[in-house]
Amino acid sequence: MAVETKTVKIGLDNWEIASLDDADKVVGTPIKAPGLVSANMALTVNTGNFQADDGLWAVLDGGISALSLTIGNADIKSEIKEVLHGITLEDGMEIYKSDMVIPYVATIFRSRLNTGKYVWFGLAKGKFVPGGVDLNTRAETPTGQPDSVVGNFEPRADGITHIITREDNEAFDLEKFRAKIFQGLVPSP
């Protein structure tokens, strides 16, 4: 009998964001956003109970109705906010306008396992809303104050909302995963 390796996620890094065009294809090259502190992916699947013969007859599935990703990042730089929020950079200033249109993006990140391998997460099409600011004065012992943004995601035209892949899966292929999330991205040579 084979001994099963127990795994647990113990890390988080490699956040990348890519702008999407109207056909859900990547525009340009995905950019890395260093400083990933936390990622909270919340998924809602609609289900309902169907009653018959005086009891539960079936549980009905309605599909994914909501998908959000809350990112904590050490410091989201202005160049990343250009892609995330569609802001304008002018003379070193981030310009936010009341009529801003937040662009669609695709995003990936990974979580390290205790085995040294990774679990990769990809969200196919969503918008990250600019976050507020929550800062505190420096105390005797300084603590970091990461930025936080929330992205709301929807299905792409092909129905895909998100993809998860694991390096410990026999058929794992990082290039195929990246190509599936970042549609239209030319694979690296």
Side-chain angles (χ1 to χ4, degrees), residues 110-185:
R110 68 184 185 178
S111 179
R112 185 175 180 273
L113 295 169
N114 61 313
T115 61
K117 296 190 182 276
Y118 290 90
V119 178
W120 290 82
F121 299 83
L123 286 81
K125 180 182 180 180
K127 294 184 176 193
F128 280 93
V129 178
V133 178
D134 184 12
L135 303 172
N136 298 297
T137 190
R138 186 178 61 182
E140 287 181 24
T141 305
T143 57
Q145 300 173 49
D147 292 333
S148 180
V149 290
V150 177
N152 292 305
F153 289 79
E154 64 187 68
R156 280 191 316 218
D158 62 4
I160 293 175
T161 57
H162 65 290
I163 298 172
I164 300 171
T165 188
R166 300 174 58 103
E167 290 182 2
D168 55 5
N169 285 342
E170 191 173 310
F172 172 79
D173 186 323
L174 182 57
E175 290 296 321
K176 286 182 179 178
F177 166 73
R178 290 177 59 79
K180 194 77 160 174
I181 291 295
F182 295 144
Q183 289 188 334
L185 180 66

Side-chain angles (χ1 to χ4, degrees), residues 47-67:
T47 61
N49 294 336
F50 181 80
Q51 303 289 328
D53 287 342
D54 288 337
L56 179 61
W57 183 268
V59 177
L60 306 175
D61 297 320
I64 296 172
S65 63
L67 174 62

